[in-house]
Amino acid sequence: MRIAIVEDNQQEQNSLLTLLNKYAIENNIAIEPTIFNNGLQIVDQYHSNFDVIYFDVQMPLMDGMTAAKKIRQIDDNVIIVFLTNYVQWAVEGYSVHALDFLLKPLTYFNFQEHFKKIRHQLAKHQKTLTLKSSNGLRKIILDNLYYVESEGHYLHFHTIDGTIDILDTMKNIERELKPDHFYRCNNGYLVNLGHVKAINGNIAEVGPDKLQISRPRKKAFMAALTDYLGSEMI
């Protein structure tokens, strides 16, 4: 489990590390903690590579709440937890979907209860895909991806939250997504079979859009869709 601790006070860093290590040993969990001394440090180096981030709310250069908002712009999935002396920060934390607030000073009893929530959240964690777009790295939840569209050298990822454009080939992304029930309905579209709402002739209704099914690919596409629907009914 990859954990970031964003805290400017070394004593508080050590306190949280001690609690994490104790819990990890008692529960046989492998953890990889990384320390950041302020919010700016983690924002500048962020690559969507953590499972959990602990933010101290009040820090120099960039406070934890500001850093969390910037992280949320590129990563919808990472678990965010705030460390604070003031409970009133909890209200603002809803804007970044913080899982929890820990009031200082931390105690092991409270931390045990808190980490049960972390483990529960990670257990239902949905599979994600990290994309490198012109706006930086973006992590998307695969269940929220309707389909991928190929246009020249670009791929357009049509998601519930909008479209993300990257430079890549359909062949590469098809190889990566095929195990997750994505299948081509024609050369230009790689479809999330879980979002196919209807088939009308040679048209597949995928999320809000209607996509053409090519004649050469129709038989294989329909077979893949039938297999997927059958597996979902088991």
Side-chain angles (χ1 to χ4, degrees), residues 14-29:
N14 293 336
S15 175
L16 181 54
L17 275 173
T18 299
L19 296 177
L20 282 168
N21 287 326
K22 183 176 181 181
Y23 188 91
I25 291 169
E26 289 182 357
N27 294 275
N28 196 30
I29 299 172

Side-chain angles (χ1 to χ4, degrees), residues 45-59:
Q45 301 176 28
Y46 196 70
H47 297 294
S48 299
N49 53 339
F50 291 107
D51 299 303
V52 186
I53 304 176
Y54 288 91
F55 282 107
D56 180 25
V57 173
Q58 295 177 302
M59 291 181 291

Side-chain angles (χ1 to χ4, degrees), residues 20 27-28 39 48 77 81 87 93 95 99 101 125 134 139 142 162 164 167 183 196 233:
L20 282 168
N27 294 275
N28 196 30
S48 299
N77 214 39
V81 179
V87 72
S95 66
L99 180 70
F101 277 77
H125 207 54
S134 58
K139 184 186 282 186
L142 288 187
I164 301 169
L167 275 168
Y183 208 88
V196 176
M233 295 176 65

Side-chain angles (χ1 to χ4, degrees), residues 4 8 19 31 33 39 45 50 61 65 72 78 85 92 101-102 105 132 141 165-166 171 181 196 198 201 208 211:
D8 63 314
L19 296 177
I31 62 169
Q45 301 176 28
F50 291 107
L61 297 181
M65 193 64 68
R72 265 294 173 252
V78 66
N85 293 308
E92 192 173 352
F101 277 77
L102 297 180
K132 187 176 182 180
I141 297 172
D165 306 320
I166 71 168
K171 185 177 181 180
H181 310 296
V196 176
L211 309 180

Side-chain angles (χ1 to χ4, degrees), residues 36-96:
F36 298 91
N37 293 312
N38 57 68
L40 186 62
Q41 202 175 59
I42 188 172
V43 168
D44 283 348
Q45 301 176 28
Y46 196 70
H47 297 294
S48 299
N49 53 339
F50 291 107
D51 299 303
V52 186
I53 304 176
Y54 288 91
F55 282 107
D56 180 25
V57 173
Q58 295 177 302
M59 291 181 291
L61 297 181
M62 184 182 291
D63 64 85
M65 193 64 68
T66 299
K69 289 177 180 178
K70 291 182 179 295
I71 294 293
R72 265 294 173 252
Q73 290 175 5
I74 56 175
D75 191 343
D76 295 327
N77 214 39
V78 66
I79 295 173
I80 290 177
V81 179
F82 286 107
L83 310 167
T84 179
N85 293 308
Y86 306 101
V87 72
Q88 61 264 31
W89 283 103
V91 176
E92 192 173 352
Y94 286 117
S95 66
V96 293

Side-chain angles (χ1 to χ4, degrees), residues 64-166:
M65 193 64 68
T66 299
K69 289 177 180 178
K70 291 182 179 295
I71 294 293
R72 265 294 173 252
Q73 290 175 5
I74 56 175
D75 191 343
D76 295 327
N77 214 39
V78 66
I79 295 173
I80 290 177
V81 179
F82 286 107
L83 310 167
T84 179
N85 293 308
Y86 306 101
V87 72
Q88 61 264 31
W89 283 103
V91 176
E92 192 173 352
Y94 286 117
S95 66
V96 293
H97 308 293
L99 180 70
D100 210 354
F101 277 77
L102 297 180
L103 287 175
K104 300 176 182 180
L106 305 178
T107 67
Y108 188 58
F109 175 79
N110 291 334
F111 187 79
Q112 284 177 296
E113 296 303 307
H114 150 75
F115 216 81
K116 287 178 184 177
K117 292 199 292 187
I118 295 287
R119 296 180 69 183
H120 176 74
Q121 185 72 9
L122 288 173
K124 64 177 186 179
H125 207 54
Q126 295 167 297
K127 191 164 184 180
T128 63
L129 177 69
T130 300
L131 305 174
K132 187 176 182 180
S133 71
S134 58
N135 296 320
L137 295 176
R138 289 286 304 277
K139 184 186 282 186
I140 62 172
I141 297 172
L142 288 187
D143 283 349
N144 292 344
L145 175 59
Y146 293 128
Y147 63 96
V148 183
E149 178 185 5
S150 175
E151 184 182 29
H153 297 294
Y154 284 89
L155 296 179
H156 309 297
F157 288 73
H158 296 268
T159 78
I160 290 173
D161 301 313
T163 303
I164 301 169
D165 306 320
I166 71 168

Side-chain angles (χ1 to χ4, degrees), residues 193-212:
L193 298 177
H195 281 295
V196 176
K197 297 190 294 186
I199 301 291
N200 296 308
N202 290 326
I203 299 296
E205 293 186 24
V206 184
D209 298 327
K210 295 181 179 181
L211 309 180
Q212 184 75 33

